[in-house]
Amino acid sequence: MIDVVALGELLIDFTQIRSNDDSVRRFEQNPGGAPANVLAVLSKFGVKCAFIGKVGNDVFGEFLRKQLLDLSIDCRNLVSDPNHNTTLAFVTLDDKGDRSFSFYRNHGADTCLSEEEINLELIKNSKVFHFGTLSMTHEPSLSATLKAVEYAKSCGKVISFDPNYRALLWDNVDNAISAMKSGLEYANIAKLSLEEAQMVTGKTLPEDCLRELLKYDLGIVAITMGPQGCVYATDKYMGSFPEYPANVVDTTGAGDTFWGTLIFGFLNNGADFDGISEERLSEIVLMANIAAAMSTEKKGAIPSIPDFARVRAAFEEINGK
Ligand code: ATP
């Protein structure tokens, strides 16, 4: 039995290495792609996970497969495409560790996943189906994503959604907003950045965004706000946390660590937030907030995922337990 299945992009993040030499830029090769990052967090915390996606039949695809397998993520439905290259993203960092992206994704293998390639049995035998919008930018992966999420919904799975908007990968912003809204229509639990929440709701303040987002049928919605921490809401409670202090090196994947940790708490709560107490809910979000902050202290999305014991210790210190 698999607990969480995620579908989406799997790519290489070439992350800039800081250097005093302006004449040469160095990048290191890290696995990337938000849905896979979320699974990496869950798998590291002991949850059984499977990934659905496509990479090129090239050295980068091989590297990505090995990274997921090393994390004990089921890769039976990770397809290797002989005709298309693995997508590459170059991540440059400013002085604060904030990122800029350059994507090399023209006919990238991740966008070439087709409906026929989806292993529906894998979804049927799971509890949570997680996806985002980057598999919805192009066909055939758009149709593949919709088929998978519709199937998951029809089987009564919990649908988890993080849009992970990247302006450069969309032809126009209206298509991106439509994809985000359609993802939210399917979702039971969702995480958005403040920018995404503002785009979808047309509101400015985080609390107003939350109220609008709750009009979708969401058991929980969280909005992450980078160095400003997060806000969250269910139909009964609304709360927020300021950022947990961190020596920030690279924020890549912080949102994925946040969401992976929150799904971990959700699963430990019986995969249901109905009837959860306000205190228990805030504990789960606080853990996610701490784990996300800790993940900014190292480069790369997956290498920076903190050990659960460290997250737990920081949580207990705050809670005085
Ligand atoms: P990604 O696309 O990389 O997954 P995101 O935009 O979804 O990122 P952010 O809002 O940048 O996610 O960050 C997610 C969480 O990480 C925040 O809610 C916060 O808990 C933590 N975080 C991010 N930046 C910082 C920071 N500078 N200091 C402390 N915590 C941070």
Side-chain angles (χ1 to χ4, degrees):
M1 177 88 180
I2 298 284
D3 291 312
V4 182
V5 172
L7 179 150
E9 72 283 4
L10 181 59
L11 49 88
I12 301 286
D13 279 334
F14 279 110
T15 313
Q16 187 183 341
I17 298 172
R18 288 182 193 287
S19 157
N20 294 328
D21 180 358
D22 279 346
S23 63
V24 182
R25 269 193 180 172
R26 293 189 173 79
F27 292 86
E28 68 178 24
Q29 179 176 317
N30 281 300
N37 293 342
V38 170
L39 291 191
V41 175
L42 285 159
S43 198
K44 196 165 171 186
F45 292 178
V47 174
K48 287 198 170 52
C49 298
F51 183 75
I52 301 176
K54 194 177 238 191
V55 289
N57 189 13
D58 50 29
V59 286
F60 299 122
E62 274 171 35
F63 169 81
L64 290 166
R65 183 182 297 277
K66 182 170 183 319
Q67 296 293 312
L68 296 198
L69 288 173
D70 286 351
L71 285 158
S72 305
I73 295 172
D74 184 323
C75 287
R76 273 175 294 167
N77 207 176
L78 175 58
V79 182
S80 288
D81 186 331
N83 301 315
H84 298 96
N85 292 329
T86 302
T87 294
L88 308 179
F90 285 80
V91 188
T92 45
L93 304 174
D94 68 16
D95 294 343
K96 291 184 191 147
D98 287 333
R99 306 153 293 162
S100 303
F101 290 88
S102 306
F103 287 98
Y104 293 80
R105 197 190 189 213
N106 201 10
H107 302 293
D110 64 304
T111 66
C112 297
L113 182 73
S114 68
E115 284 183 54
E116 301 71 40
E117 289 169 323
I118 307 283
N119 179 346
L120 295 176
E121 276 301 302
L122 211 51
I123 297 173
K124 193 174 177 183
N125 293 317
S126 65
K127 291 183 190 153
V128 176
F129 177 82
H130 175 74
F131 75 117
T133 60
L134 285 197
S135 58
M136 297 163 83
T137 57
H138 295 80
E139 287 290 8
S141 63
L142 167 60
S143 298
T145 304
L146 294 177
K147 177 177 175 176
V149 70
E150 269 161 24
Y151 181 76
K153 194 91 187 162
S154 73
C155 298
K157 305 300 170 190
V158 174
I159 310 291
S160 159
F161 180 63
D162 172 358
N164 203 40
Y165 173 63
R166 294 283 178 269
L168 289 173
L169 296 180
W170 289 93
D171 290 342
N172 70 68
V173 70
D174 292 337
N175 290 349
I177 292 173
S178 298
M180 288 195 248
K181 287 183 175 171
S182 78
L184 287 165
E185 296 283 353
Y186 288 109
N188 303 109
I189 58 177
K191 171 234 171 275
L192 296 88
S193 67
L194 183 57
E195 180 194 18
E196 291 159 354
Q198 289 168 337
M199 287 169 74
V200 168
T201 64
K203 303 289 181 191
T204 307
L205 296 175
E207 288 74 15
D208 291 340
C209 292
L210 284 177
R211 276 184 208 100
E212 284 298 308
L213 289 165
L214 282 174
K215 292 179 182 165
Y216 294 89
D217 191 17
L218 296 168
I220 183 166
V221 57
I223 299 176
T224 58
M225 304 185 297
Q228 273 82 49
C230 67
V231 293
Y232 63 95
T234 67
D235 60 354
K236 293 195 193 79
Y237 313 116
M238 199 178 269
S240 65
F241 285 104
E243 87 289 2
Y244 180 78
N247 296 317
V248 178
V249 173
D250 173 13
T251 59
T252 308
D256 304 325
T257 298
F258 178 94
W259 193 236
T261 309
L262 197 142
I263 296 175
F264 177 74
F266 174 74
L267 288 169
N268 282 342
N269 202 65
D272 193 358
F273 278 165
D274 256 6
I276 191 171
S277 70
E278 189 167 12
E279 188 192 4
R280 178 77 191 114
L281 180 70
S282 88
E283 285 177 355
I284 289 171
V285 182
L286 174 58
M287 284 248 197
N289 200 54
I290 294 170
M294 286 180 170
S295 78
T296 66
E297 295 186 329
K298 281 190 197 163
K299 277 199 299 287
I302 294 178
S304 66
I305 298 167
D307 289 335
F308 185 69
R310 217 183 129 215
V311 179
R312 179 94 222 170
F315 167 81
E316 285 176 357
E317 201 177 319
I318 292 174
N319 265 14
K321 288 185 180 167

